[in-house]
Coordinates of all heavy atoms in Angstrom, one line a residue:
W9 N 0.8 -1.2 0.0 CA 0.0 0.0 0.0 C 0.9 1.3 0.0 O 1.6 1.6 1.0 CB -0.9 0.0 1.2 CG -2.1 -0.9 1.1 CD1 -2.5 -1.6 0.0 CD2 -3.2 -1.0 2.0 NE1 -3.7 -2.3 0.2 CE2 -4.1 -1.9 1.4 CE3 -3.4 -0.6 3.3 CZ2 -5.3 -2.3 2.1 CZ3 -4.5 -1.0 4.0 CH2 -5.5 -1.9 3.4
K10 N 0.8 2.0 -1.1 CA 1.6 3.3 -1.2 C 0.9 4.4 -0.6 O 1.5 5.3 0.0 CB 1.9 3.6 -2.7 CG 2.8 2.6 -3.4 CD 3.0 3.0 -4.8 CE 4.0 2.1 -5.5 NZ 4.2 2.5 -6.9
S11 N -0.5 4.4 -0.6 CA -1.2 5.6 -0.3 C -2.4 5.4 0.7 O -3.2 6.2 0.9 CB -1.8 6.2 -1.6 OG -2.8 5.4 -2.1
T12 N -2.4 4.2 1.3 CA -3.5 3.7 2.0 C -3.2 3.2 3.4 O -2.2 2.6 3.6 CB -4.3 2.6 1.2 OG1 -4.5 3.1 -0.1 CG2 -5.5 2.2 1.9
V13 N -4.1 3.5 4.4 CA -4.1 2.8 5.7 C -5.5 2.4 6.0 O -6.5 3.0 5.5 CB -3.5 3.6 6.8 CG1 -2.0 4.0 6.5 CG2 -4.3 4.9 7.1
I14 N -5.7 1.4 6.9 CA -7.0 1.1 7.4 C -6.9 0.9 8.9 O -5.9 0.4 9.4 CB -7.5 -0.2 6.6 CG1 -9.0 -0.4 6.9 CG2 -6.7 -1.5 7.1 CD1 -9.6 -1.4 5.9
I15 N -8.0 1.3 9.6 CA -8.0 1.3 11.0 C -9.1 0.4 11.5 O -10.3 0.6 11.2 CB -8.1 2.7 11.6 CG1 -6.8 3.5 11.2 CG2 -8.2 2.6 13.1 CD1 -6.9 5.0 11.6
R16 N -8.8 -0.6 12.3 CA -9.7 -1.5 12.9 C -10.3 -0.9 14.1 O -9.6 -0.5 15.0 CB -9.0 -2.9 13.2 CG -9.9 -3.9 13.8 CD -9.2 -5.2 14.0 NE -8.1 -5.1 15.0 CZ -8.2 -5.3 16.3 NH1 -9.4 -5.6 16.8 NH2 -7.2 -5.2 17.1
I17 N -11.7 -0.9 14.2 CA -12.4 -0.4 15.4 C -13.1 -1.6 15.9 O -14.1 -2.1 15.4 CB -13.4 0.7 15.0 CG1 -12.6 1.9 14.4 CG2 -14.2 1.1 16.2 CD1 -13.5 3.0 13.8
P18 N -12.7 -2.2 17.1 CA -13.2 -3.4 17.6 C -14.7 -3.4 18.0 O -15.4 -4.4 17.9 CB -12.3 -3.7 18.8 CG -11.1 -2.9 18.6 CD -11.5 -1.7 17.8
D19 N -15.1 -2.2 18.4 CA -16.5 -2.0 18.9 C -17.2 -0.9 18.2 O -16.9 0.3 18.6 CB -16.5 -1.9 20.4 CG -17.9 -2.1 21.0 OD1 -18.7 -2.8 20.4 OD2 -18.1 -1.5 22.1
D20 N -18.0 -1.1 17.2 CA -18.7 -0.1 16.5 C -19.5 0.8 17.4 O -20.3 0.3 18.2 CB -19.6 -0.8 15.5 CG -20.4 0.2 14.6 OD1 -20.4 1.4 14.8 OD2 -20.9 -0.3 13.6
P21 N -19.2 2.2 17.4 CA -19.9 3.0 18.3 C -21.4 3.2 18.0 O -22.2 3.6 18.8 CB -19.2 4.4 18.2 CG -18.5 4.3 16.9 CD -18.2 2.9 16.6
I22 N -21.8 2.9 16.7 CA -23.2 3.0 16.3 C -23.9 1.7 16.6 O -25.1 1.6 17.0 CB -23.3 3.4 14.9 CG1 -22.7 4.8 14.7 CG2 -24.8 3.4 14.4 CD1 -23.4 5.9 15.4
E23 N -23.3 0.6 16.3 CA -23.8 -0.8 16.5 C -22.8 -1.6 17.4 O -22.0 -2.3 16.9 CB -24.1 -1.5 15.2 CG -25.2 -0.9 14.4 CD -25.7 -1.9 13.3 OE1 -25.5 -3.1 13.5 OE2 -26.3 -1.4 12.4
P24 N -22.9 -1.3 18.7 CA -21.9 -2.0 19.6 C -22.0 -3.5 19.5 O -23.0 -4.1 19.2 CB -22.4 -1.6 21.0 CG -23.1 -0.3 20.8 CD -23.8 -0.4 19.4
G25 N -20.8 -4.1 19.5 CA -20.7 -5.6 19.4 C -20.1 -6.0 18.1 O -19.7 -7.2 17.9
R26 N -20.2 -5.2 17.1 CA -19.6 -5.6 15.8 C -18.3 -4.8 15.5 O -18.1 -3.7 16.0 CB -20.6 -5.4 14.6 CG -20.8 -3.9 14.2 CD -21.6 -3.8 12.9 NE -21.9 -2.4 12.6 CZ -22.6 -2.1 11.5 NH1 -23.1 -3.0 10.7 NH2 -22.8 -0.8 11.2
Q27 N -17.4 -5.4 14.7 CA -16.2 -4.7 14.4 C -16.3 -4.1 13.0 O -16.9 -4.6 12.1 CB -15.0 -5.8 14.4 CG -13.7 -5.2 14.0 CD -12.5 -6.1 14.3 OE1 -12.0 -6.1 15.4 NE2 -12.1 -6.9 13.4
I28 N -15.7 -2.9 12.9 CA -15.7 -2.2 11.6 C -14.3 -1.7 11.3 O -13.4 -1.7 12.2 CB -16.7 -1.0 11.5 CG1 -16.4 0.0 12.7 CG2 -18.1 -1.5 11.6 CD1 -17.2 1.3 12.6
W29 N -14.1 -1.1 10.1 CA -12.8 -0.6 9.7 C -13.0 0.7 9.0 O -13.9 0.9 8.3 CB -12.1 -1.6 8.7 CG -12.0 -3.0 9.2 CD1 -12.9 -3.9 9.3 CD2 -10.7 -3.6 9.6 NE1 -12.4 -5.1 9.8 CE2 -11.1 -5.0 10.0 CE3 -9.4 -3.2 9.7 CZ2 -10.1 -5.9 10.4 CZ3 -8.4 -4.1 10.1 CH2 -8.8 -5.5 10.5
T30 N -12.1 1.7 9.3 CA -12.1 3.0 8.6 C -10.9 3.0 7.6 O -9.8 2.7 8.0 CB -12.0 4.2 9.5 OG1 -11.0 4.0 10.5 CG2 -13.3 4.3 10.3
Y31 N -11.2 3.4 6.4 CA -10.2 3.3 5.3 C -9.9 4.7 4.7 O -10.8 5.5 4.5 CB -10.9 2.4 4.2 CG -10.2 2.2 2.9 CD1 -9.3 1.1 2.8 CD2 -10.3 3.0 1.8 CE1 -8.7 0.8 1.6 CE2 -9.7 2.7 0.6 CZ -8.9 1.6 0.5 OH -8.2 1.3 -0.7
Y32 N -8.6 4.9 4.6 CA -8.1 6.3 4.2 C -7.2 6.0 3.0 O -6.2 5.3 3.1 CB -7.3 7.0 5.3 CG -8.0 7.1 6.6 CD1 -8.2 5.9 7.4 CD2 -8.5 8.3 7.1 CE1 -8.8 6.1 8.7 CE2 -9.1 8.4 8.3 CZ -9.3 7.3 9.1 OH -9.9 7.4 10.3
T33 N -7.4 6.7 1.9 CA -6.5 6.5 0.7 C -6.3 7.8 -0.1 O -6.9 8.8 0.1 CB -7.0 5.4 -0.2 OG1 -6.0 5.0 -1.1 CG2 -8.3 5.8 -1.0
H34 N -5.4 7.7 -1.1 CA -4.9 8.8 -1.9 C -3.8 9.6 -1.2 O -3.6 10.8 -1.6 CB -6.0 9.7 -2.5 CG -7.0 9.0 -3.3 ND1 -6.6 8.3 -4.4 CD2 -8.3 8.9 -3.2 CE1 -7.7 7.7 -5.0 NE2 -8.8 8.1 -4.2
M35 N -3.1 9.0 -0.3 CA -2.0 9.7 0.4 C -0.7 9.4 -0.3 O 0.2 8.7 0.2 CB -2.0 9.2 1.9 CG -3.1 9.7 2.7 SD -3.0 9.3 4.5 CE -3.4 7.6 4.5
A36 N -0.6 9.9 -1.5 CA 0.6 9.8 -2.3 C 0.6 10.8 -3.4 O -0.5 11.2 -3.8 CB 0.8 8.3 -2.9
T37 N 1.8 11.1 -4.0 CA 1.8 12.0 -5.1 C 1.4 11.2 -6.4 O 1.2 10.0 -6.4 CB 3.2 12.5 -5.4 OG1 4.1 11.4 -5.8 CG2 3.8 13.1 -4.1
K38 N 1.2 12.0 -7.5 CA 0.7 11.3 -8.7 C 1.7 10.2 -9.2 O 1.3 9.3 -9.9 CB 0.5 12.4 -9.8 CG 1.7 13.1 -10.3 CD 1.4 14.1 -11.3 CE 2.6 14.9 -11.8 NZ 2.3 15.9 -12.9
E39 N 3.0 10.4 -8.9 CA 3.9 9.4 -9.3 C 3.9 8.1 -8.4 O 4.6 7.1 -8.7 CB 5.3 10.0 -9.3 CG 5.5 11.1 -10.4 CD 5.1 12.4 -9.9 OE1 4.8 12.5 -8.6 OE2 5.0 13.4 -10.6
G40 N 3.3 8.2 -7.2 CA 3.2 7.1 -6.3 C 4.2 7.2 -5.1 O 4.4 6.3 -4.4
T41 N 4.7 8.5 -4.9 CA 5.6 8.7 -3.7 C 4.7 8.8 -2.5 O 3.8 9.7 -2.5 CB 6.4 10.0 -3.9 OG1 7.3 9.8 -5.0 CG2 7.3 10.2 -2.6

């Protein structure tokens, strides 16, 4: 992953008891730095 991270949230604050993930991307220059 050049431009991406994902964060695991063990306990969903909207629906407690389920696990969800937050995904962030496009964190790189146009060349892929």
Side-chain angles (χ1 to χ4, degrees):
W9 279 0
K10 294 181 179 181
S11 67
T12 306
V13 300
I14 195 164
I15 297 176
R16 180 175 65 87
I17 300 173
D19 194 24
D20 183 345
I22 297 296
E23 290 194 24
R26 73 172 178 178
Q27 180 164 276
I28 57 172
W29 305 73
T30 51
Y31 179 90
Y32 308 73
T33 195
H34 299 304
M35 291 184 285
T37 67
K38 65 181 181 181
E39 295 84 10
T41 300

